Amino acid sequence: GKPMIVDMSEVGFLGSAGLSALLVVSEGREDRLRVVASDAVRRPIELTALDKLLAVYDSLDAALAAGTNTAAN
């Protein structure tokens, strides 16, 4: 299926409920959930080691471009 991208670049706080929601959405996907993260989002993702399950990007453009060189035309 198509990649799912969650743009959280404008989010100022990510607590346990948000982390849980990202985990639930990522479960069962064939590919890694792509998350565009602000610093406030990146820190809790890294502290909880969710960056091992999620693909974290600094910009929407980077998340959109990821994997395009392996995509079928």
Side-chain angles (χ1 to χ4, degrees), residues 6-48:
V6 180
D7 185 354
M8 302 183 77
S9 58
E10 298 295 320
V11 174
F13 175 79
L14 181 65
S16 61
L19 289 166
S20 295
L22 289 174
L23 182 60
V24 168
V25 171
S26 70
E27 289 177 344
R29 293 195 53 81
E30 293 178 13
D31 59 343
R32 292 171 72 189
L33 180 66
R34 300 178 190 183
V35 179
V36 182
S38 64
D39 288 341
V41 169
R42 181 180 294 275
R43 183 160 171 75
I45 287 175
E46 290 174 349
L47 286 173
T48 57

